[in-house]
Amino acid sequence: MFNSDISIYLLPLKFFLLSCSMFLARARLCTLGSRPKFLKTICASKILGLSTSAKMSLKFKNAKRIEGLDSNVWIEFTKLAADPSVVNLGQGLPDISPPVYVKEELSKIAAIDSLNQYTRGFGHPSLVKALSCLYEKFYQNQINPNKEILVTVGAYGSLFNAIQGLIDEGDEVIVIVPFYDCYEPMVRMAGAIPVFIPLRSKLVDGKKWSSSDWTLDPQELASKFNSKTKAIILNTPHNPLGKVYTKEELQVIADLCIKYDTLCISDEVYEWLVYTGNKHFKIATFPGMWERTITIGSAGKTFSVTGWKLGWSIGPKHLIKHLQTVQQNTVYTCATPLQEALAQALWIDIKRMDDPECYFNSLPKELEVKRNRMVHLLESVGLKPIVPDGGYFIIADVSLLDTDLSDMKNSNEPYDYKFVKWMTKNKKLSAIPVSAFCNAETKLQFEKFVRFCFIKKDSTLDAAEEIIKAWSRQKF
Amino acid sequence: MTKQLQARRLNGIDHNPWVEFVKLASEADVVNLGQGFPDFAPPDFAVEAFQHAVSGDFMLNQYTKAFGYPPLTKILASFFGKLLGQDMDPLKNVLVTVGAYGALFTAFQALVDEGDEVIIIEPFFDCYEPMTLMAGGRPVFVSLKLSPNQDRELDSSSNWQLDPTELASKFTSRTKALILNTPNNPLGKVFSRAELELVASLCQQHDVVCITDEVYQWLVYDGCQHVSIATLPGMWERTLTIGSAGKTFSATGWKVGWVLGPESLLKHLRTVHQNSIFHCPTQAQAAVAQSFEREQLHFGQPSSYFVQLPQAIQRCRDHMIQSLKSVGLRPVIPQGSYFLITDISEFKSKMPNLPGAADEPYDRRFVKWMIKNKGLMAIPVSIFYSVPHQKLFDHYIRFCFMKDESTLQAMDKKLQKWKDDLRP
């Protein structure tokens, strides 16, 4: 009874409070205390008798497609490594400068007015032309720049467009473990079922452990294919292992794709980063594969400009057109000046493909030295590295260190998560746990591995070396 | 492949009308008043900001924070916090996207489920419908209707209104969201506070999310006020406010947009974002941040771009209106945005049989005829209507007046020739 008296009393105040809150909203307050919000809350939920917060939270639930996809390893670990005193060998981000001519092209373009407005949605004309020219060198067929190439927001965007465009609810998609972490959530967001198959290592005595020792068992792989298999996602050179699939290995995959009429989404962002004794093969060039393959590339990884967020998909027009449909309903077009700068940078290197100065040749040379340095460093402190044949990551088995991680909270986390957090906190060196690249069932298989990124300037690697040397001195 | 190759979510959304018209514009010698982008430069301070971003710290060539370059989310939170009357946290209440287009996509994917209804006010920026469909949603259309002036004066976009009863009837228990666009593309309508209160009360009554596309918020004329529905009581907690650097700073090619809203909604958009593109390009974000910092210092003053731009563009609008009238076209005076629509009914009655496909709406045939014969390009307004309503609204075409003086003069030349052709 008391309450109803109050509410009657408060009713005339309703309009006063409403107009107060609207006035306060309109008057652009420099400091906002909690008063306006408090008034609004009263108005909205109590006096006007509108939706209760319980009802509201039901309706405002996320769409089913993103259920369970909210966590992300990078968000967690980049926060950890953000401490400037930590030597960050975690995220795959170069701290070296991009090549001078790449920066110069972008600077020049920033002065050209016409490039500040929208360009062609499926890719800036001069860029798709440059990409077509570059990649025609590797394919037997000509590549139509308008119908067989799509420029996307990073290779990440190409993966998204390919999966959204071609993968349906209920489809199965084969994912090789370890995998770049977005493959699983993207497949799930499309309502499809990821079917996992791990790379398995054979131990070879008397020889350094190499990424080439990690292979797919052909029979196991064949058992994963069935009539519901829509696609297989391939990543070569591979993140995090650094494996560069051989011609024979790719042929096994190609044969299965053709037998089961399956698509192949081939993530080749590290295609230029292949070390001595290895060669990158494009599965799309194998017989019967062009018509069923989307090959993805990245400006960020090609020119060490991850912040430009430009990638591309190359494939037959009957597949690319569906990625283009996704594009016109998602971002529509990518940034113009960056695309033009990328086109100019590509032309510079296209003209000198055999020159050691060409970035496609000079970067892997530079990185091979860093790779070798990392291998040596990791070995010196008792970590067992797997020498990568390509890419800019190296993983190492940390179990021999037998580090005491008992003071790390969250005992449900895999070993490598705890190890990385311990190492970041106590050694000021960050890395990424390899189980982050595994699905729930396979995490245990890879929980003793940690991934280091070596596309870092010498001073960063020097700092890592200092830490590692001190660490090894502590042990012995 | 025995079953369909492409995913079913693409059904019905593969066709895009722009592709055809953009191609046509590039082919002929036309004055392009079709597609909505400025043909003049962004302001000097914005150009300088971009130049600074690309020639400064080389680490700006690398990834930034996924949900937005920190100086940008910081300035957006502070700048819009004041405008929206909210204490905004850059990490919780702001998400940077690839254009406002990307923001719209992220919002639909985050919140619209199979079978959810989304209310779309016609005429609508054409992507709202396919984005709803791609998310498995069901678009429910409600048209703005013209209550024409009784005298012979030109109509204003304010004469286009929603019928409150009709709007209310569109809300059902399955309505998940309503998408609002103010200032509106293509009409140029600026929803009044009273009109927004109507929408707001229905959203609250039916517990619906309001996605508000406010990309043209600074382009309002004749002293009209842009009102953000998120500032109305009870609306902040259920509104996603979308903005665009491209439209704000006349740099559409930078493709930087943002969504502002409560954490309870934004967290779902972040999930979509991290599983679709993850990061937006760093340098363009840095340029936008610096540009907003500059505007914050000049806010409300004559030197503010947000003051100067609408003043300059209003002149373009008025020039275009006068010119179009001279050939018997009847433009609707827009209160905002960079578009106006023009009634072509007289032409429809005088030349009803223009070449085109079997049931191609008249306005599309007219535009093609105009491109070919009069050297002028516009966009047929039926593109902005749902298929069942296209035949009802096939007598309008949309012109963009966000153009340089020289373009408007080129337009005048074409219109003069047209006028001459009309003389007996």
Side-chain angles (χ1 to χ4, degrees), chain B residues 49-361:
Chain B
F50 190 68
Q51 286 173 328
H52 183 238
V54 305
S55 50
D57 176 8
F58 70 78
M59 284 307 289
L60 290 179
N61 285 294
Q62 307 307 334
Y63 292 130
T64 180
K65 293 279 172 294
F67 304 132
Y69 174 66
L72 178 57
T73 50
K74 183 163 183 255
I75 187 77
L76 288 173
S78 128
F79 192 96
F80 286 98
K82 292 195 191 78
L83 287 181
L84 300 180
Q86 288 292 328
D87 199 0
M88 280 172 48
D89 180 327
L91 295 175
K92 299 196 170 123
N93 304 119
V94 182
L95 175 66
V96 177
T97 55
V98 177
Y101 213 96
L104 286 161
F105 174 72
T106 307
F108 281 105
Q109 287 286 309
L111 301 171
V112 176
D113 243 325
E114 193 90 28
D116 281 348
E117 291 178 6
V118 176
I119 296 176
I120 300 177
I121 299 168
E122 297 187 294
F124 56 92
F125 179 57
D126 68 292
C127 77
Y128 303 160
E129 183 183 5
M131 284 189 183
T132 300
L133 292 172
M134 191 171 162
R138 202 172 84 74
V140 171
F141 299 99
V142 58
S143 308
L144 285 159
K145 295 199 174 65
L146 174 62
S147 302
N149 283 330
Q150 293 310 304
D151 52 27
R152 297 203 66 243
E153 288 298 307
L154 290 176
D155 288 313
S156 155
S157 54
S158 61
N159 293 117
W160 288 72
Q161 289 151 5
L162 287 171
D163 177 312
T165 317
E166 190 189 358
L167 178 63
S169 75
K170 301 292 179 178
F171 284 79
T172 72
S173 59
R174 297 259 23 203
T175 310
K176 187 71 185 270
L178 176 145
I179 168 132
L180 178 67
N181 175 217
T182 180
N184 170 280
N185 172 8
L187 263 180
K189 177 182 175 63
V190 173
F191 282 73
S192 67
R193 180 172 296 276
E195 288 171 315
L196 293 178
E197 279 167 358
L198 167 66
V199 172
S201 78
L202 285 165
C203 285
Q204 286 171 80
Q205 196 187 319
H206 295 274
D207 194 21
V208 162
V209 172
C210 180
I211 301 170
T212 174
D213 173 353
E214 301 189 1
V215 297
Y216 302 107
Q217 67 183 117
W218 306 110
L219 288 164
V220 286
Y221 314 117
D222 307 320
C224 216
Q225 288 289 326
H226 167 76
V227 179
S228 288
I229 198 170
T231 60
L232 268 53
M235 288 308 286
W236 168 255
E237 52 257 43
R238 62 181 62 256
T239 305
L240 292 169
T241 304
I242 290 173
S244 156
K247 305 294 194 280
T248 295
F249 296 111
S250 308
T252 59
W254 293 4
K255 286 295 290 186
V256 175
W258 53 83
V259 192
L260 310 168
E263 159 80 343
S264 56
L265 292 176
L266 274 227
K267 70 182 182 192
H268 302 314
L269 277 75
R270 289 196 293 267
T271 302
V272 173
H273 183 86
Q274 81 198 20
N275 290 302
S276 57
I277 58 151
F278 206 8
H279 301 84
C280 295
T282 312
Q283 288 144 323
Q285 292 187 67
V288 176
Q290 193 177 313
S291 302
F292 262 110
E293 282 157 13
R294 186 266 183 196
E295 276 300 296
Q296 191 169 55
L297 290 173
H298 292 253
F299 193 75
Q301 294 163 46
S303 53
S304 157
Y305 188 64
F306 301 165
V307 169
Q308 293 177 344
L309 184 67
Q311 281 171 358
I313 304 305
Q314 180 166 329
R315 288 193 289 273
C316 296
R317 178 198 71 163
D318 296 343
H319 176 152
M320 181 178 273
I321 288 172
Q322 290 314 309
S323 300
L324 293 174
K325 276 168 74 174
S326 70
V327 298
L329 291 163
R330 288 188 60 78
V332 173
I333 303 174
Q335 298 157 282
S337 87
Y338 25 88
F339 305 106
L340 57 81
I341 72 171
T342 295
D343 191 330
I344 53 169
S345 299
E346 260 190 52
F347 288 90
K348 191 177 175 192
S349 56
K350 287 187 188 139
M351 22 179 236
N353 299 313
L354 290 178
D359 47 358
E360 193 177 1

Side-chain angles (χ1 to χ4, degrees), chain B residues 9 14 16 29 59 154 194 222 225 251 257 268 280 304 313 362 396 404 422-423:
Chain B
R9 69 182 63 81
D14 51 319
N16 187 281
D29 160 38
M59 284 307 289
L154 290 176
D222 307 320
Q225 288 289 326
H268 302 314
C280 295
S304 157
I313 304 305
Y362 183 78
Y396 294 100
D404 188 66
L422 287 170
R423 290 211 185 93

Side-chain angles (χ1 to χ4, degrees), chain A residues 18 59 63-65 70 116-118 156 164-165 167-168 171 190 230 261 304 306-309 328 331, chain B residues 1 3 5 7-9 14 61-62 101 109-110 112-113 135 175-176 233 247 250 252-253 255 274 277:
Chain A
L18 243 181
K59 250 302 185 73
K64 292 193 206 58
R65 68 182 59 81
D70 48 315
N116 286 307
Q117 307 306 334
Y118 291 132
Y156 214 98
Q164 287 283 311
I167 310 296
D168 227 330
D171 283 347
K230 191 71 186 277
D261 196 19
S304 307
T306 59
W308 288 25
K309 284 297 293 194
Q328 80 198 20
V331 296
Chain B
M1 299 259 148
K3 55 177 190 172
L5 176 61
R8 286 188 300 268
R9 69 182 63 81
D14 51 319
N61 285 294
Q62 307 307 334
Y101 213 96
Q109 287 286 309
V112 176
D113 243 325
T175 310
K176 187 71 185 270
K247 305 294 194 280
S250 308
T252 59
K255 286 295 290 186
Q274 81 198 20
I277 58 151

Side-chain angles (χ1 to χ4, degrees), chain A residues 19-29, chain B residues 82-85 193 225 227 231:
Chain A
S19 48
C20 268
S21 73
M22 278 155 70
F23 168 74
L24 285 163
R26 239 181 293 159
R28 297 177 292 271
L29 293 173
Chain B
K82 292 195 191 78
L83 287 181
L84 300 180
R193 180 172 296 276
Q225 288 289 326
V227 179
T231 60

